[in-house]
Each structure stands twice: as structure tokens, then as C-alpha cells.
Amino acid sequence: MLDACFRINSPSVIYERFGDEVVAIHLDTGVYHSLIGVASDAFVLLSEEATEAELASALAARYAATPQEIETALGPFLEQLRQENLVVPVEARKARGPLRIEGEGMGLPFVAPRLHAFNDLEGLLLLDPIHEVGDEGWPHASEPRTN
Amino acid sequence: MISVIIPAYNGAEFLDSALQSIDAQEFADREIVLVDDGSVEELRPPAQVRCIRQPHSGPSAARNRGVRESRGEFLAFLDIDDLWAPGHLSRLHAALTANSQAGIAQGRMRQLSGHLISEPYRMPYIGSCVFRREAFDLSGGFDESMMLGEDHDLMYRCWEKDILKVHVEEVSLIYRRHAGNSSRGNNLRSHAMVLKRRLDRIRAGELDPSQQRRYPFRDYIGETEGASQWATR
């Protein structure tokens, strides 16, 4: 488990960063999530695939805690992300350089990351009928219906 | 009276056809307020259109300005690059006058993209609605800090305030997709931004997400079956 590597469960999960907060939406369930501070940084790092230890090391460059302290706090957080299907295990890792958190700031107070899930908007996915353009472009004429 | 508010930031090439679609409405008791939001292009509306010019402030600020400068008991918004279907104003006005409790009436919409047109569907596009002014005021108006998703955000707040919205089956709005659409490619970001605003309201204590709202969210916000069905015109 310690060496397990995770990535954000895209394309089912989309997210946007707004300053200190990430809003993540699971398009299959309609549940939306708020991640603030350490949680937002950790989540964005997961877009590049990461193990718990790699996350802890990257976060220690910004927050006033040791990698060990951070790793301890990350365990329950990653489990929450897994339970909500926001992240999935990575089978075959891609090559990449060291993880780095974008933006300024060092020695920030470390607060154990938490995920806040909201499922109060039934049918949330209805808000997105105009899907982002894929390789085939958009829109395109629908196939004739055959009854 | 219905006040028709057109926020415009450039788009001079679309103005004539937008005004023609207003002229084609079978509803005479109206005023048209064009808010030129600092366009670089010169917009030349005809004399019967009241034109207000302001420094570029975004679509929300332009619409709110139009509301403040208008006099109608009812409010309708048409973006300069969109079109109304014939009968839109009269149908939605009739729906509101038939139900004094209703604050919003909404018709369906279709999207137009080149030679393709979508089947009708319903989404929180403001151009497919007519608002009773007091309902619009109760909603708090458009969030002027939002440059994307402001219409969805407004509809969320109307739902959160239990403002009754009645639906009309006929098509009201023709939404034209083109290279200059400010919303194109930003759909997911605007979606997340609307939720961010809702989270902010929850944290500020303005909203209790556990409280049951009067109207089902799904029905209030829309139905999208037709949105992915496109046919050649």
C-alpha cells in the first residue's frame, strides 16, 4: 500500500482550482467536492500520478512539517479520495521529473488535508450537456435513429 | 411592459438579426435597452432602442445595468448573438400572468452551429426566460464578479430562494455557436465556478445544503436530452 501510486480519475473527474480551493466534480455520480489548502495542493499533484511518499516530499517543500508527519496525515486523505473514486491506482507509471507544487510560498502551516463531499444537487450532470470538444470535434450530426 | 435587455461587447454583425427577432415578437408592450459594454466595434442601434454605454465590465454588470435603467414589470435578456423564436415573449408573458406566484417563465432552446441545429432542450440560459422584476431582485441579480457561468449561477440562486419557475414547452431561444462565443471551451470551468460560488454561500452561512428546497433541482435546472441530438438544417 505504501508504494501504491494514484492518479486523478479522469475523465470521470474534473476539477478547477480557485485560489486556495479546488472544486472537483465526479461526472458519473454528480457528487462535488471541496479541497482547501494542503488538500488542494495534494489533489493537483495527483494529476501527475504520485505515491504517498512522493506527495509528502513535495508538500514538505511548502508546508512546515516533515515528510513523515505529512505522510501520516495523507493516509486517511488518500483513502477518502479512493472511496469517493476521485483517484484510481496507476498500473503502469509514466516517466516524469520530481513533483513540484506550482506557485509561491514556503513554511506554511500544515493542516491535515480533508475532503468535503456534497451530494445535495440531484442531477448535477444535467448542467453539462455541451461536452467539451473531443478528437472528433463538436457538434456533429447524430446518427439517424433506427427504431 | 417587458424590458428587453441586450448586453453587448462587440458583435455588431449580429445586432440586426437579434433586433429582427425582437421585432418579430407578437408583443408590443416592450422597451429595448442595449447596454454597450465598452465595445471596440461601433454598434449602431435604431432610434427605438435605448443605448447605454459603459466601460467594459462584463456581461453580468451589463445586464444588471440594463435592469437598473429599465422600467418594465417583466425582464427579458437577449445576448446580441442569439435569436428569439417567434412568440417567445407573448408565450412566457402569458405563462407568468396566468400564475401570479411564478417569478420566472422559461421556454426551450436550440443550438445553431453552422448547418447543424440541435433538438429542443432546456438549460439555464437566461435568454430562454422571462423574469418578473421582483423575482429577479429577490435573486440578487447577476454576480458581477463572474465572467463565465453567470446565468447558471443566477438560476441556482433562484432555486435556492424557492422562486417558482414555470416551463413552456415551445422553443424560446436560438443559441448561435460561433468562433467568438465567450462560453465555448469553458463549459467545465464555468460549471466548477458555479459550484464554487455555492460552496462560498454555504460557508458564509447564507445557505444550508441539508435544507430541502421547494422545487426539485433536476427539474428546475433543465433537461438535456435534445442537446446532443443534432440534425442538418
Side-chain angles (χ1 to χ4, degrees), chain A residues 11 14-25 27 30-36 116-133 137-145, chain B residues 111 113 116 119 121 123-125 152 156 159 175 177 184-189 191-200 202-203 209-210 216-219 221-225 227-232:
Chain A
I14 60 164
Y15 71 94
E16 280 289 338
R17 177 158 214 154
F18 301 96
D20 194 33
E21 181 172 19
V22 162
V23 176
I25 308 167
L27 296 175
V31 179
Y32 62 105
H33 307 79
S34 166
L35 303 100
I36 296 175
H116 301 272
F118 297 83
N119 61 359
D120 54 311
L121 297 179
E122 176 212 1
L124 174 67
L125 302 191
L126 290 176
L127 283 176
D128 187 29
I130 309 161
H131 302 296
E132 294 294 272
V133 178
W138 187 93
H140 52 86
S142 307
E143 292 294 320
R145 289 181 182 174
Chain B
Q111 291 205 47
S113 180
L116 298 175
E119 290 294 309
Y121 65 100
M123 282 289 290
Y125 281 73
H152 286 59
Y156 264 61
W159 174 70
Y175 177 87
R177 293 188 75 86
R184 188 163 198 172
N186 287 310
N187 208 36
L188 297 179
R189 178 163 177 79
H191 195 160
M193 195 173 290
V194 170
L195 293 173
K196 162 72 173 158
R197 290 292 189 275
R198 180 172 163 83
L199 288 167
D200 289 343
I202 292 169
R203 284 189 286 259
S210 67
F217 175 78
R218 184 179 180 130
D219 184 56
I221 294 301
E223 51 83 18
T224 61
E225 189 180 339
S228 56
Q229 297 292 324
W230 291 79
T232 304

Side-chain angles (χ1 to χ4, degrees), chain B residues 13 140 169 182 189:
Chain B
E13 66 189 287
E169 289 305 307
S182 60
R189 178 163 177 79

Side-chain angles (χ1 to χ4, degrees), chain B residues 90-110:
Chain B
S90 53
R91 281 193 296 271
L92 270 56
H93 179 264
L96 286 172
T97 51
N99 186 339
S100 62
Q101 300 300 308
I104 311 168
Q106 184 178 20
R108 290 173 178 259
M109 61 181 285
R110 294 180 117 164

Side-chain angles (χ1 to χ4, degrees), chain B:
Chain B
M1 177 195 279
I2 298 180
S3 295
V4 176
I5 293 155
I6 307 175
Y9 178 62
N10 298 323
E13 66 189 287
F14 299 110
L15 181 59
D16 284 350
S17 54
L19 292 175
Q20 283 166 14
S21 84
I22 296 172
D23 285 343
Q25 300 295 307
E26 298 147 351
F27 195 90
D29 187 16
R30 63 172 189 252
E31 63 170 352
I32 304 174
V33 179
L34 173 71
V35 182
D36 183 343
D37 188 36
S39 296
V40 177
E41 299 172 10
E42 186 177 4
L43 303 178
R44 293 183 181 176
Q48 67 268 30
V49 175
R50 189 144 65 93
C51 186
I52 298 162
R53 292 190 167 82
Q54 66 177 28
H56 184 51
S57 310
S60 294
R63 293 189 188 108
N64 285 343
R65 176 83 188 273
V67 170
R68 287 195 301 274
E69 301 277 352
S70 64
R71 298 173 293 126
E73 179 189 355
F74 300 97
L75 300 167
F77 302 89
L78 181 65
D79 286 356
I80 195 169
D81 51 349
D82 292 339
L83 302 168
W84 276 336
H88 158 65
L89 289 183
S90 53
R91 281 193 296 271
L92 270 56
H93 179 264
L96 286 172
T97 51
N99 186 339
S100 62
Q101 300 300 308
I104 311 168
Q106 184 178 20
R108 290 173 178 259
M109 61 181 285
R110 294 180 117 164
Q111 291 205 47
L112 201 59
S113 180
H115 65 290
L116 298 175
I117 187 163
S118 77
E119 290 294 309
Y121 65 100
R122 185 162 43 77
M123 282 289 290
Y125 281 73
I126 293 306
S128 63
C129 301
V130 171
F131 288 76
R132 209 180 287 279
R133 181 181 288 270
E134 57 191 308
F136 180 86
D137 291 343
L138 178 62
S139 77
F142 292 98
D143 183 335
E144 298 189 6
S145 69
M146 296 183 78
M147 302 296 277
L148 283 172
E150 71 281 355
D151 42 6
H152 286 59
D153 173 72
L154 179 77
M155 203 61 85
Y156 264 61
R157 285 184 280 114
C158 290
W159 174 70
E160 290 165 1
K161 290 184 182 296
D162 296 328
I163 295 172
L164 175 61
K165 176 156 70 79
V166 291
H167 294 150
V168 171
E169 289 305 307
E170 287 89 345
V171 170
S172 278
L173 176 70
I174 309 296
Y175 177 87
R176 293 196 283 197
R177 293 188 75 86
H178 54 84
N181 272 149
S182 60
S183 58
R184 188 163 198 172
N186 287 310
N187 208 36
L188 297 179
R189 178 163 177 79
S190 69
H191 195 160
M193 195 173 290
V194 170
L195 293 173
K196 162 72 173 158
R197 290 292 189 275
R198 180 172 163 83
L199 288 167
D200 289 343
R201 290 193 291 280
I202 292 169
R203 284 189 286 259
E206 299 169 12
L207 180 66
D208 176 3
S210 67
Q211 187 182 344
Q212 183 84 19
R213 301 262 58 98
R214 187 176 299 166
Y215 309 109
F217 175 78
R218 184 179 180 130
D219 184 56
Y220 202 92
I221 294 301
E223 51 83 18
T224 61
E225 189 180 339
S228 56
Q229 297 292 324
W230 291 79
T232 304
R233 282 199 284 164

